[in-house]
Amino acid sequence: MLDLLPGTGISEKEISVQFGVSRTPVRESFVQLSQEGLLDIYPQRGTVVSLIDLERVEEARFIREQLERAVIMLACESFPQESLQLLRSNLAYQQVSMREKDFKKMFELDEAFHRTIFEGCKKLNTWAVIQQVNVHLNRTRMLRLAADHRWDELYEQHQHMVEAIEGHESGKAEQLMNTHLHLTIADQTVLKEKFPTYFKE
């Protein structure tokens, strides 16, 4: 993600040469990526990395917000100690990523943090549903991390979520998750101003 920027042209031939594979698996991958909304394939004209669709970003954020608020409230009722420890370990690794300004690792840890909450509540199928609509939202999240290394607010919100789960404070946890996921709305305006060519009109 972000290795190829939105609007970048790519070809089956270049990718097959780069990875030393035949065109068939590359063609199949292109079709899959097109179905996921990451590539736009134009017959006879070529293939480009798709622009970020903010309507799809907002819908994914909406779906994620509803489900994550519900799940974190469940976590406040009952949550395994081993899952709580995984969240604490994740926070420690987030601090390392912040010091190193490693935005790709920070993104992975952010995803793992939220997944751990779903897993601790035995709701991994619900997490899988979120992943099906997350493509464009994840692109904006990665872009935000890459463009701005001030991740303190993100980290502090995660930290407060762990404290709310541990203290069984469901109202506080729900509000934290709501605020957390609304960060992406503010980010979109900033990112569109900074990278106007990356977004679909």
Side-chain angles (χ1 to χ4, degrees):
M1 204 178 301
L2 291 188
D3 290 330
L4 292 173
L5 297 174
T8 302
I10 60 173
S11 74
E12 291 178 8
K13 182 179 179 181
E14 289 172 357
I15 299 299
S16 64
V17 169
Q18 182 179 342
F19 290 97
V21 296
S22 70
R23 283 205 185 187
T24 301
V26 174
R27 187 175 300 116
E28 291 170 352
S29 297
F30 274 29
V31 170
Q32 177 67 34
L33 291 168
S34 175
Q35 291 171 348
E36 293 175 5
L38 286 170
L39 288 183
D40 291 328
I41 300 174
Y42 302 103
Q44 314 305 321
R45 286 165 49 200
T47 300
V48 298
V49 178
S50 66
L51 299 179
I52 298 170
D53 186 335
L54 286 178
E55 284 188 7
R56 294 174 76 170
V57 170
E58 172 51 26
E59 186 170 12
R61 185 208 59 77
F62 175 80
I63 292 169
R64 187 161 182 166
E65 179 190 332
Q66 308 312 310
L67 295 175
E68 294 229 31
R69 283 168 58 190
V71 165
I72 201 167
M73 289 176 72
L74 286 177
C76 288
E77 294 174 14
S78 176
F79 200 68
Q81 276 300 313
E82 57 268 28
S83 296
L84 201 57
Q85 187 54 48
L86 283 174
L87 292 179
R88 291 197 192 98
S89 296
N90 184 290
L91 287 175
Y93 284 118
Q94 284 185 41
Q95 287 185 316
V96 174
S97 293
M98 289 165 69
R99 286 196 297 270
E100 296 177 349
K101 295 181 170 52
D102 186 340
F103 70 90
K104 289 184 179 180
K105 188 62 180 176
M106 190 65 175
F107 177 83
E108 291 171 5
L109 289 166
D110 188 0
E111 281 291 277
F113 181 91
H114 288 267
R115 185 185 186 280
T116 298
I117 297 175
F118 280 79
E119 187 174 20
C121 294
K122 296 181 170 58
K123 293 289 183 289
L124 279 181
N125 285 331
T126 307
W127 177 254
V129 168
I130 289 175
Q131 299 314 298
Q132 293 171 14
V133 298
N134 239 3
V135 171
H136 286 270
L137 176 60
N138 282 348
R139 294 171 83 191
T140 61
R141 289 171 58 216
M142 179 76 86
L143 187 58
R144 188 266 184 188
L145 290 172
D148 183 355
H149 290 152
R150 293 171 297 176
W151 305 332
D152 298 49
E153 185 177 15
L154 181 70
Y155 171 81
E156 286 168 9
Q157 288 178 350
H158 284 156
Q159 186 177 40
H160 292 322
M161 285 179 204
V162 173
E163 292 167 359
I165 291 170
E166 192 170 23
H168 306 288
E169 300 175 90
S170 59
K172 178 182 176 183
E174 182 189 19
Q175 184 56 51
L176 280 165
M177 187 64 78
N178 183 62
T179 302
H180 185 66
L181 291 169
H182 270 75
L183 283 177
T184 59
I185 297 176
D187 290 342
Q188 287 170 29
T189 303
V190 174
L191 292 174
K192 195 168 183 183
E193 288 176 358
K194 195 167 186 177
F195 307 103
T197 60
Y198 292 179
F199 293 88
K200 185 178 177 182
E201 292 297 330

